[in-house]
């Protein structure tokens, strides 16, 4: 695996891959890699000739009150993990490589970015779409792999790619979970023992809501009220949202039609967790 920090070196590598007419799979990450990321790497290496992973804690997608400074940075362990998978290039730029002095152009994200995460994390998706578009331009992947865990992010990136004629096949891959059901996340390492147990509330609540809908409940307000109650009963400290939404537009469903997506964002201690489930 080649590890590189500079855009100029990345461009050389990409040019030589393209010269050999090999396909490129791309997994953008912010590091602190876990089995969820590694599953994306495995999808890429099984479907593409070459796999490029980026590790970049993107400052523009964090609001001033968020965890940018304390976001886990575990570069050596990350590279060690990637060595056990089929990865060809790891791109690890620093912030000035991506945002040099004078940088001032930002992507205006699509409408689907305004609700849910967009309401609670202003500027977040502007930062995500900007960095993802830059990375797409640099890596020029045939296929880019995103996790369903960040469901809205994947929908936002898909829409951006369509709207801006980005010639990349954006794929959403399944959530990887701990044995308890907790969705794997770099932020799980912030949880202590008690909080980790309470964090299972998200998965359990998604399962409960799925059961309600599968048993015939079609009133979205009833399901959303049950989700909120369940999260509180199971010990989360606060809830940003717990909703049933259309899987493409993410508009809330008063009357549930299938497929639907259940989405939750909640806080356990000072850690903000998200999870989701498609009901089809
Ligand atoms: O999902 C993430 O880790 C980030 O939002 C991404 C896509 C790497 C952009 O910084």
């Amino acid at each position: 695996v080649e590890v590189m920090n500079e855009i100029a070196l990345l461009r050389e590598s990409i040019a030589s891959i393209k010269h050999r007419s090999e396909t490129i799979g791309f997994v953008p990450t912010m590091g602190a890699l876990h089995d969820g990321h590694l599953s994306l790497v495995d999808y890429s290496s099984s479907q593409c000739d070459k796999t490029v992973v980026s590790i970049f804690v993107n400052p523009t997608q964090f609001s001033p009150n968020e965890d940018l400074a304390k976001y886990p940075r575990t570069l050596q362990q990350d590279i060690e993990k990637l060595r056990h998978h089929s990865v060809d290039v790891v791109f690890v730029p620093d912030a000035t490589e991506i945002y040099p002095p004078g940088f001032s152009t930002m992507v205006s994200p699509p409408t689907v970015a305004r609700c849910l995460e967009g309401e609670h994390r202003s500027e977040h998706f502007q930062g995500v779409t900007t960095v993802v578009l830059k990375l797409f331009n640099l890596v020029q992947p045939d296929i880019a792999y995103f996790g369903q865990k960040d469901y809205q992010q994947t929908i936002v990136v898909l829409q951006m790619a369509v709207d801006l004629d980005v010639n990349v096949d954006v794929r959403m891959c399944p959530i990887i979970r701990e044995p308890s059901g907790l969705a794997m996340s770099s932020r799980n390492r912030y949880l202590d023992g008690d909080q980790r147990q309470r964090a299972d509330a998200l998965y359990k609540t998604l399962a409960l809501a799925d059961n309600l809908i599968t048993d015939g409940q079609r009133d979205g307000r009833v399901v959303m009220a049950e989700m909120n109650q369940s999260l509180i009963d199971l010990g989360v400290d606060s809830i940003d949202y717990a909703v049933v939404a259309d899987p493409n537009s993410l508009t809330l469903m008063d009357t549930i039609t299938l497929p639907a997506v259940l989405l939750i964002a909640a806080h356990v201690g000072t850690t903000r967790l998200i999870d989701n489930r498609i009901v089809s």
Side-chain angles (χ1 to χ4, degrees), residues 61-263:
Q61 70 188 73
F62 289 80
S63 307
N65 62 333
E66 288 184 346
D67 57 347
L68 173 63
K70 74 161 195 172
Y71 196 84
R73 286 161 174 87
T74 57
L75 187 57
Q76 285 324 312
Q77 287 111 292
D78 290 348
I79 290 170
E80 208 37 54
K81 285 181 187 167
L82 293 174
R83 282 192 207 285
H84 294 99
H85 292 257
S86 191
V87 175
D88 300 280
V89 174
V90 185
F91 179 50
V92 193
D94 65 23
T96 52
E97 192 72 358
I98 296 295
Y99 301 114
F103 178 92
S104 62
T105 306
M106 300 294 286
V107 173
S108 169
T111 315
V112 70
R114 287 189 200 145
C115 59
L116 305 174
E117 290 300 288
E119 268 172 32
H120 292 272
R121 306 181 68 191
S122 62
E123 321 280 295
H124 172 66
F125 283 125
Q126 174 176 282
V128 169
T129 49
T130 301
V131 82
V132 168
L133 185 60
K134 280 172 69 75
L135 291 167
F136 281 179
N137 286 335
L138 292 169
V139 176
Q140 299 173 53
D142 296 276
I143 309 178
Y145 298 85
F146 289 80
Q148 186 193 321
K149 159 83 184 350
D150 294 293
Y151 187 88
Q152 187 177 13
Q153 168 172 278
T154 309
I155 298 290
V156 165
V157 169
L158 271 162
Q159 189 64 49
M160 175 196 71
V162 169
D163 289 349
L164 300 183
D165 304 307
V166 182
N167 195 15
V168 177
D169 176 354
V170 175
R171 297 206 181 154
M172 183 172 338
C173 303
I175 299 174
I176 306 298
R177 297 182 178 282
E178 303 286 354
S180 69
L182 178 65
M184 288 197 185
S185 163
S186 306
R187 292 185 168 97
N188 290 351
R189 69 187 71 203
Y190 300 148
L191 302 167
D192 67 23
D194 160 66
Q195 291 170 340
R196 204 167 173 108
Q197 266 193 337
R198 291 192 284 128
D200 291 343
L202 279 75
Y203 172 73
K204 289 181 180 160
T205 297
L206 292 171
L208 171 129
D210 188 329
N211 281 338
L212 286 173
I213 297 169
T214 307
D215 289 346
Q217 180 57 261
R218 287 293 176 270
D219 187 333
R221 283 158 306 185
V222 170
V223 174
M224 293 189 252
E226 293 281 351
M227 289 169 77
N228 277 280
Q229 191 58 53
S230 160
L231 287 167
I232 290 163
D233 292 346
L234 294 170
V236 307
D237 292 306
S238 65
I239 303 167
D240 280 353
Y241 55 80
V243 299
V244 190
D246 177 276
N248 299 309
S249 67
L250 298 185
T251 45
L252 303 196
M253 283 180 168
D254 281 345
T255 303
I256 298 173
T257 53
L258 299 183
V261 60
L262 306 165
L263 299 133

Side-chain angles (χ1 to χ4, degrees), residues 7-28:
I7 286 177
L9 294 177
L10 176 67
R11 285 199 199 277
E12 274 175 29
S13 264
I14 299 296
S16 81
I17 297 172
K18 295 271 175 197
H19 185 70
R20 296 192 297 270
S21 301
E22 290 174 317
T23 55
I24 299 178
F26 177 44
V27 181

Side-chain angles (χ1 to χ4, degrees), residues 259-273:
V261 60
L262 306 165
L263 299 133
I264 295 175
H267 297 256
V268 175
T270 54
T271 306
R272 186 173 187 277
L273 300 168

